[in-house]
């Protein structure tokens, strides 16, 4: 089978697989828990005290933040959550000025968004990640095989890996304080400690209602966008801001959940055994062509010898 024949066969097989799974692709439905918890972050209230970083470190047994809360030098560079810091606060300047012509900062807390339909859960081949009924995306280290597909799949680039640990490395990210919120009345450490109440915890539906209420009552204060309401199907963490989110490091993402596409592709490849059939068909074609060529070669050699 030459190159042209190979790609022609693959094209036909792919079209057949796609056609066979059209109906199956429409069967995808959201697996988001119906009444999960969530957090509303009002960026107009955040003052960059980084108390949330301290609380996160204490609750999860992590090293203390790299700088003291009062030391603003830490804001000179943008940071990302990693294996030793599940949440970080960054500072952005959007161009707004005070009456004294000083730039107005906007502080942004960043952590795992705990998507309603998490791409990391869909990508994990060992079921080490799972979406819980309370909204948390929970990690089970006993199931993790270290493939790190979750890191590739996450649209927010959040999961971190313990590369420094060669024996028992783990995938690390915000836990949504699962153990705390699983108990009656428990709330995440960052929400509990915030001195300006920039973080509000409760039912996700209530958080969305609160966000819409603030936008409706203060049209000149906020941009008309609730980040996390619809991005990638919705997230447990939602934000409101006075500055456009693209200026604050938030990625522009589609509204469709990532698993809707990835799982549809998977179903397209494997529904009705189309993918194995295509593979076996290719192998059979190659074997047939090779066998025919060998037989013709032997026949020619015999003819020349006679």
């Amino acid at each position: 089978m030459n190159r042209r024949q190979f790609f022609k066969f693959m094209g036909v097989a792919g079209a057949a697989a796609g056609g066979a799974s059209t109906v199956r692709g429409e069967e995808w439905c959201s697996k988001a828990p119906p009444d999960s918890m969530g957090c509303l972050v009002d960026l107009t209230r955040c003052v960059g005290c980084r108390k949330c970083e301290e609380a996160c470190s204490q609750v999860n047994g992590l090293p203390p933040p790299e700088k003291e809360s009062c030391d603003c030098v830490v804001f000179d560079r943008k940071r990302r959550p990693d294996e030793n810091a599940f949440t970080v606060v960054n500072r952005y300047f959007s161009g707004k000025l005070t009456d004294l012509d000083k730039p107005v900062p906007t502080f942004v807390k960043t952590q795992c968004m705990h998507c309603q339909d998490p791409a990391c859960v869909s990508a994990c081949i060992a079921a080490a990640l799972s979406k819980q009924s309370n909204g948390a995306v929970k990690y089970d280290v006993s199931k993790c095989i270290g493939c790190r597909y979750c890191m590739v799949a996450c649209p927010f680039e959040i999961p971190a890996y313990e590369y420094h640990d060669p024996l028992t490395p783990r995938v690390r990210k915000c836990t949504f304080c699962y153990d705390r919120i699983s108990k009656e009345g428990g709330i995440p450490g960052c929400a509990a400690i915030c001195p300006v109440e920039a973080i509000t915890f409760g039912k996700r539906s209530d958080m969305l209602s609160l966000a819409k209420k603030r936008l409706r009552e203060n049209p000149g204060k906020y941009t008309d966008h609730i980040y996390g309401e619809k991005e990638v199907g919705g997230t447990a963490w939602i934000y409101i801001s006075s500055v456009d989110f693209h200026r604050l490091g938030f990625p522009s993402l589609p509204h469709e959940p990532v698993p809707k596409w990835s799982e549809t592709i998977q179903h397209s490849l494997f529904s009705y055994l189309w993918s194995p059939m295509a593979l076996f068909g290719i192998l059979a074609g190659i074997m047939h062509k090779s066998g025919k060529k060998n037989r013709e070669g032997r026949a020619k050699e015999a003819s020349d010898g006679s």
Side-chain angles (χ1 to χ4, degrees):
M1 182 178 290
N2 60 32
R3 180 183 177 88
R4 183 184 299 274
Q5 291 172 328
F6 175 81
F7 284 111
K8 181 179 180 180
F9 186 87
M10 286 300 294
V12 173
S21 61
T22 300
V23 176
R24 292 178 63 86
E26 296 175 353
E27 295 176 357
W28 187 92
C29 61
S30 172
K31 303 177 183 64
D35 197 20
S36 59
M37 310 302 289
C39 280
L40 169 63
V41 183
D42 190 335
L43 298 181
T44 67
R45 298 186 178 189
C46 182
V47 296
C49 68
R50 298 176 63 218
K51 291 293 184 183
C52 55
E53 292 187 19
E54 294 182 5
C56 180
S57 297
Q58 293 174 3
V59 170
N60 293 288
L62 301 172
E66 57 184 288
K67 298 284 186 179
E68 295 297 329
S69 297
C70 59
D71 190 350
C72 293
V73 176
V74 72
F75 293 123
D76 289 345
R77 61 181 178 84
K78 183 179 178 180
R79 297 176 299 143
R80 295 286 301 170
D82 58 29
E83 68 274 16
N84 292 318
F86 293 171
T87 186
V88 297
V89 178
N90 287 303
R91 179 182 62 189
Y92 295 85
F93 293 106
S94 63
K96 291 185 177 181
L97 300 175
T98 66
D99 294 338
L100 301 176
D101 291 334
K102 292 185 177 180
V104 178
T106 299
F107 297 97
V108 178
K109 179 185 183 299
T110 303
Q111 73 293 305
C112 171
M113 298 290 282
H114 294 274
C115 303
Q116 293 293 88
D117 284 291
C120 59
V121 172
S122 178
C124 183
I125 61 177
L129 290 161
S130 59
K131 180 71 173 179
Q132 302 295 307
S133 60
N134 60 12
V137 176
K138 190 178 180 182
Y139 172 69
D140 186 345
V141 66
S142 67
K143 296 181 180 179
C144 182
I145 60 174
C147 67
R148 289 161 284 173
Y149 288 168
C150 56
M151 298 172 64
V152 178
C154 178
F156 299 99
E157 301 179 357
I158 290 297
Y161 194 67
E162 293 180 323
Y163 289 101
H164 64 277
D165 187 343
L167 298 179
T168 57
R170 297 169 292 176
V171 172
R172 307 289 275 162
K173 70 175 194 64
C174 163
T175 63
F176 207 32
C177 291
Y178 176 81
D179 293 334
R180 289 169 63 100
I181 66 176
S182 296
K183 300 175 182 178
E184 187 68 28
I187 64 175
C190 57
I193 201 173
C194 184
V196 294
E197 297 184 354
I199 308 171
T200 307
F201 175 77
K203 294 288 186 182
R204 183 176 184 272
S205 56
D206 293 339
M207 297 301 97
L208 284 172
S209 297
L210 176 59
K212 292 176 181 178
K213 180 175 183 291
R214 291 184 185 178
L215 266 60
R216 183 174 60 253
E217 295 179 351
N218 303 276
K221 182 178 181 180
Y222 298 98
T223 60
D224 189 19
H225 184 187
I226 302 174
Y227 193 91
E229 178 184 13
K230 297 180 180 179
E231 277 76 10
V232 291
T235 58
W237 284 81
I238 59 177
Y239 293 74
I240 53 177
S241 169
S242 62
V243 179
D244 290 339
F245 287 102
H246 72 271
R247 294 186 177 184
L248 302 176
F250 288 82
S252 297
L253 298 170
H255 290 176
E256 293 80 6
V258 175
K260 179 178 180 180
W261 302 107
S262 61
E263 291 175 7
T264 297
I265 292 172
Q266 292 170 9
H267 294 163
S268 298
L269 290 175
F270 292 101
S271 56
Y272 305 114
L273 298 179
W274 274 107
S275 184
M277 287 174 64
L279 175 59
F280 292 145
I282 292 171
L283 294 176
I286 293 174
M287 292 174 65
H288 175 73
K289 291 288 186 179
S290 298
K292 183 178 179 181
K293 185 176 180 180
N294 290 335
R295 289 192 298 271
E296 290 176 350
R298 288 195 297 267
K300 184 178 180 180
E301 290 176 359
S303 177
D304 293 342
S306 61

